Amino acid sequence: MRPAARFAAPLLALTLAVLPAAAYEVNDSHFHLTNYIQRGTDIHEFLKIMGDKVGRVALFGIPLQQTWDYGNSGDFAPTYYLQTDAPLYYYSFTDAFIAMAYKSLTKEEQARFDPMITGFNPTDMYAADHIRRVLTTFPGVFSGIGEFTIHKEFVSSKIAGETASLTNPALDRLLDFAGEVGLIALMHSDVDMPFPKPGQEPYQVEQLRDLFKRHPKTTIIWAHCGLGRVVHPVKDQMAIVEKLLTNPDLSHVYIDISWDEVAKYLVATPETIQRAADGINRYPDRFLFGTDEVAPTEQVKYLKVYDMYKPLFAKLTPEASEKVRKGNYERLFDEARRKVRAWEKANQGGSK
Ligand SMILES: [Zn+2]
């Protein structure tokens, strides 16, 4: 698009942090700076990868650490949860790591990030206390919680300790607290089992709806509208999503269309593209773009999902396209920033 930019890189880098919001193409509501072994991209490098394409990013690590269990994989050091049978465990230090990365930036650079708290165990009644502690230790930093996970294919069953559930009061307690503070809650919960028997009831749909209903004061983003690597769109996925979007008790729930595994379903055929576009055009305020990239090393890889969605964006009205790419992010996260800063001020007398 802008071949001159390649040759003017050093000059461009100096000005990137101060471009007006309208100059960017897209905001990213779902991004992991670090991976399952807590390694990732240096945040200053990542700013260069965002370049003049991505304006703002919801920034988090991954709350789960893959154990390197010598008895299981020997000298092979797993870096991903599919590479070993050894368990995952909650790694709270991720929040301090993300906060310190954010604090290493200039004020102008910080304005491009919305850090999120993820290092809590959603089956623990004390999870909300962890979030409170992170906010009071690092005031002025965080805008939300998540991405945290309840049902996720191949992952949930590998986590040491109690299995997460949508009906656990610990989850209610932490969503209540997020609502009280004004933190956005970005939650991953699959809409169905990985390999359901034909006609099997997707019980997660009802449990999710009930959970969302119990927390009307919390802004919730449902990650990937419940899809996964093999959790494919349940029969009439769009009908389920529309039911959610038209329910007046669920007007606080939003959907992110992040992850290449999700994009592959939505852009599979001209028909799936049209169906997804029709849904988004009907409810343009309720969808957010996200990449779900993990620790990318270059812009091409980082924007892979954005490029996959080109045919979908082409089918959106100009208004819907603008909202999904940028406007909804700015509206929700600006509000979260305002509310969380106010809570911090009220709860410890100043946010700096
Ligand atoms: Zn993710």
Side-chain angles (χ1 to χ4, degrees), residues 30 32 60 147 224 292:
H30 191 132
H32 302 273
F60 36 94
E147 177 192 27
H224 328 302
D292 200 15

Side-chain angles (χ1 to χ4, degrees), residues 25-335:
E25 281 186 37
V26 69
N27 295 321
D28 183 356
S29 67
H30 191 132
F31 175 72
H32 302 273
L33 189 66
T34 53
N35 65 11
Y36 280 89
I37 56 163
Q38 312 301 323
R39 293 184 191 156
T41 311
D42 178 273
I43 197 163
H44 304 91
E45 275 307 305
F46 181 56
L47 266 171
K48 291 183 200 152
I49 291 170
M50 290 159 66
D52 59 354
K53 288 249 185 192
V54 183
R56 280 169 66 177
V57 173
L59 181 78
F60 36 94
I62 285 185
L64 294 163
Q65 163 77 29
Q66 174 62 59
T67 313
W68 180 2
D69 179 345
Y70 197 86
N72 186 264
S73 63
D75 288 328
F76 177 77
T79 58
Y80 196 54
Y81 57 83
L82 294 176
Q83 294 175 339
T84 168
D85 294 329
L88 299 157
Y89 64 95
Y90 290 103
Y91 188 83
S92 290
F93 187 72
T94 183
D95 295 330
F97 182 86
I98 291 292
M100 295 308 283
Y102 174 83
K103 285 165 86 84
S104 75
L105 300 171
T106 66
K107 281 266 170 272
E108 293 76 21
E109 291 167 341
Q110 286 178 349
R112 295 178 64 184
F113 292 102
D114 289 281
M116 311 277 275
I117 299 167
T118 60
F120 52 85
N121 176 349
T123 71
D124 185 353
M125 292 291 280
Y126 281 131
D129 300 63
H130 170 78
I131 295 164
R132 177 187 290 269
R133 197 171 302 119
V134 174
L135 290 174
T136 51
T137 307
F138 296 105
V141 174
F142 290 97
S143 304
I145 61 171
E147 177 192 27
F148 66 95
T149 296
I150 305 301
H151 291 291
K152 179 171 179 177
E153 52 184 15
F154 313 120
V155 169
S156 300
S157 55
K158 279 193 62 165
I159 301 171
E162 191 181 344
T163 309
S165 143
L166 295 165
T167 57
N168 192 324
L171 178 56
D172 287 311
R173 199 162 177 263
L174 78 90
L175 285 176
D176 278 344
F177 183 64
E180 180 193 321
V181 178
L183 292 157
I184 287 178
L186 172 58
M187 189 177 87
H188 177 133
S189 201
D190 293 342
V191 75
D192 205 352
M193 293 276 104
F195 302 104
K197 290 258 189 301
Q200 182 179 307
E201 180 73 21
Y203 63 89
Q204 290 97 328
V205 174
E206 284 171 25
Q207 290 187 0
L208 261 172
R209 185 202 53 210
D210 294 346
L211 175 76
F212 293 158
K213 269 192 179 172
R214 289 198 297 278
H215 302 283
K217 294 202 174 74
T218 310
T219 298
I220 298 171
I221 301 175
W222 183 25
H224 328 302
C225 58
L227 302 179
R229 180 175 280 108
V230 297
V231 173
H232 52 82
V234 295
K235 200 171 165 285
D236 250 341
Q237 175 87 16
M238 212 50 194
I240 290 177
V241 169
E242 287 221 39
K243 231 169 142 182
L244 183 154
L245 297 177
T246 50
N247 187 331
D249 295 335
L250 300 178
S251 59
H252 58 294
V253 179
Y254 299 82
I255 287 170
D256 91 30
I257 57 168
S258 68
W259 202 5
D260 55 351
E261 299 288 350
V262 173
K264 85 183 172 197
Y265 294 118
L266 300 191
V267 301
T269 66
E271 291 73 35
T272 61
I273 293 171
Q274 193 60 54
R275 216 175 305 143
D278 289 346
I280 295 172
N281 281 331
R282 272 198 291 281
Y283 309 97
D285 296 317
R286 308 291 289 282
F287 292 88
L288 294 101
F289 170 77
T291 61
D292 200 15
E293 275 303 321
V294 179
T297 48
E298 55 185 357
Q299 194 183 61
V300 179
K301 186 173 170 281
Y302 174 48
L303 293 180
K304 177 183 160 199
V305 180
Y306 183 55
D307 289 335
M308 284 174 81
Y309 275 131
K310 286 265 154 76
L312 175 65
F313 289 130
K315 293 270 178 195
L316 300 182
T317 66
E319 184 211 2
S321 172
E322 198 281 332
K323 284 181 170 174
V324 173
R325 286 180 298 109
K326 297 203 291 190
N328 294 339
Y329 180 109
E330 283 158 20
R331 191 179 76 251
L332 296 180
F333 281 92
D334 283 352
E335 190 193 6

